[in-house]
């Protein structure tokens, strides 16, 4: 059951609790499983979790992988690190969801950060595990599924007027994928493309779709393209006002990203991924991602963004404190090259550096 749920990408319920309440929660998990429901309960997932980056995997489960999160609140829950991580992921999802997502079950009256007192809860002190399961099944039947889809959100932005929508559609076609027209929103300055996970997983978006966009950008004169990649839940009926779409747009238009891009005047595009995409795809090296090619910048609101400029493994600009002086260009054996485009195999072994000296212009 656990394996099939993981492959499908959704559980009916994920359970967030402190070990002090395990006996109660274990009975709830067993009864939910007996009822044929898909439930994420750590003891049922021992093999699945073995060797996995738990920080990333649990965020996936509690943020995007479940229909409801059942939060078992207690004094022990409030003070533990991992329950705090699960709660933060669940609350991030709740912020984006129009329907109830976090279902609190209280063992005592301890205040839980972010869990308002006005939210309805079930009292575990007076409710048996079997009674709670009956309530959860009723909740599952009464709550209509949110009309959202897990997806990658790409934003293409440029400083000149050009057919960004056409570029996006051509890149998608080259990947032999089909994105419904309603999931592509075009304006004069930018284009938003929502790629459902069922069409292309986020790993393939970075490994296949983004390189196609890079190639198309290089083929257009005077075009300097910013491509942001975010991951989240998107309403199928309308994109305007969606929190995850807004996050992707703000990433593409961030002044911090523009500052990095401006330091590479010969570059044709810059790729920026949000922290969520960096943690789940780039940092683990999935799909051939190389985290060393990304530079961390901080947006005006404190959000961390990761920027890569193709052709610039090391961006010119400020010298970090304590860094050694640049390599002199006189008396050095070997070729000195600045690579502003693709690096070819025959260049491997050549000496090169990145700077803003006259030899670059």
């Amino acid at each position: 059951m656990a394996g099939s749920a993981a492959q499908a990408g959704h559980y009916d319920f994920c359970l967030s609790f402190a070990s002090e309440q395990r006996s109660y929660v274990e009975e709830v998990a067993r009864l939910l499983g007996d009822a044929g429901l898909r439930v994420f309960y750590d003891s049922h997932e021992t093999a699945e979790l073995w060797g996995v980056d738990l920080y990333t995997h649990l965020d996936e489960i509690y943020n995007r992988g479940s229909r409801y999160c059942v939060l078992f609140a207690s004094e022990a829950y409030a003070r533990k690190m991992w329950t705090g991580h699960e709660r933060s992921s669940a609350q991030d999802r709740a912020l984006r969801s129009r329907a109830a997502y976090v279902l609190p079950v209280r063992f005592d009256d301890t205040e839980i950060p972010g869990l308002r007192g006005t939210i309805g809860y079930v009292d575990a002190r007076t409710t048996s595990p079997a009674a709670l399961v009956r309530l959860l099944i009723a909740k599952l039947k009464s709550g209509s599924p949110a009309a959202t889809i897990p997806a990658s959100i790409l934003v293409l932005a440029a400083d000149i007027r050009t057919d960004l929508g056409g570029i996006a559609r051509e890149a998608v076609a080259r990947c032999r994928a089909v994105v419904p027209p309603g999931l592509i929103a075009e304006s004069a300055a930018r284009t938003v493309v929502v790629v459902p996970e069922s069409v292309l997983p986020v790993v393939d978006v970075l490994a296949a779709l983004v390189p196609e966009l890079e190639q198309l950008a290089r083929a257009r004169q005077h075009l300097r393209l910013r491509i942001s990649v975010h991951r989240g839940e998107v309403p199928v009926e309308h994109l305007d006002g969606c929190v995850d779409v807004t996050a992707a747009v703000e990433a593409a238009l961030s002044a911090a990203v523009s500052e990095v891009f401006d330091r590479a005047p010969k570059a044709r595009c810059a790729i920026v991924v949000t922290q969520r995409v960096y943690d789940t795809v780039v940092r683990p090296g999935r799909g051939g991602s190389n985290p060393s090619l990304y530079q961390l910048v901080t947006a005006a609101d404190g959000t961390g963004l990761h920027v890569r400029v193709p052709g610039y493994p090391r961006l010119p600009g400020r010298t970090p404190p304590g860094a050694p002086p640049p390599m002199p260009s006189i008396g050095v054996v070997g070729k000195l090259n600045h690579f502003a485009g693709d690096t070819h195999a025959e260049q491997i072994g050549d000496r090169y550096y990145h700077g803003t000296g006259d030899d670059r212009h």
Side-chain angles (χ1 to χ4, degrees), residues 235-284:
V236 295
E237 295 183 354
H238 56 86
L239 303 181
D240 293 340
C242 171
V243 171
D244 283 316
V245 170
T246 301
V249 171
E250 291 178 348
L253 303 181
S254 169
V257 173
S258 296
E259 193 272 336
V260 171
F261 201 13
D262 289 345
R263 282 158 42 203
K266 294 185 179 179
R268 304 305 299 273
C269 63
I271 293 88
V272 52
V273 300
T274 60
Q275 191 67 47
R276 185 180 298 165
V277 175
Y278 186 83
D279 286 341
T280 57
V281 180
V282 178
R283 190 198 303 276

Side-chain angles (χ1 to χ4, degrees), residues 84-158:
H85 174 54
E86 295 167 1
R87 172 180 52 79
S88 295
S89 296
Q91 288 172 337
D92 181 59
R93 160 73 175 275
L95 179 67
R96 305 192 310 270
S97 179
R98 300 188 178 200
Y101 174 64
V102 176
L103 306 179
V105 179
R106 285 196 167 274
F107 285 89
D108 55 41
D109 297 322
T110 300
E111 183 176 342
I112 304 297
L115 190 63
R116 295 181 177 178
T118 54
I119 297 177
Y121 67 91
V122 171
D123 195 330
R125 293 166 291 194
T126 59
T127 306
S128 69
L132 175 61
V133 167
R134 287 194 293 271
L135 291 172
L136 291 173
I137 292 174
K139 183 72 174 179
L140 193 64
K141 291 179 178 178
S142 65
S144 58
T148 62
I149 53 172
S152 300
I153 305 103
L154 290 86
V155 175
L156 281 60

Side-chain angles (χ1 to χ4, degrees), residues 46-90:
T46 302
E48 187 77 17
L49 298 177
W50 189 8
V52 170
D53 179 352
L54 292 179
Y55 187 90
T56 299
H57 185 73
L58 293 178
D59 178 68
E60 182 72 19
I61 296 298
Y62 288 92
N63 196 319
R64 290 172 290 279
S66 304
R67 176 87 173 273
Y68 293 105
C69 174
V70 186
L71 190 156
F72 295 88
S74 66
E75 181 275 332
Y77 186 95
R79 60 179 163 81
K80 293 196 172 185
M81 179 186 70
W82 281 107
T83 53
H85 174 54
E86 295 167 1
R87 172 180 52 79
S88 295
S89 296

Side-chain angles (χ1 to χ4, degrees), residues 263 265 312 314-317 326 338 353-361:
R263 282 158 42 203
Y312 288 77
R314 295 180 183 174
L315 285 165
H338 285 297
Y353 66 97
H354 297 270
T356 54
D358 292 338
D359 64 321
R360 198 175 169 71
H361 302 292

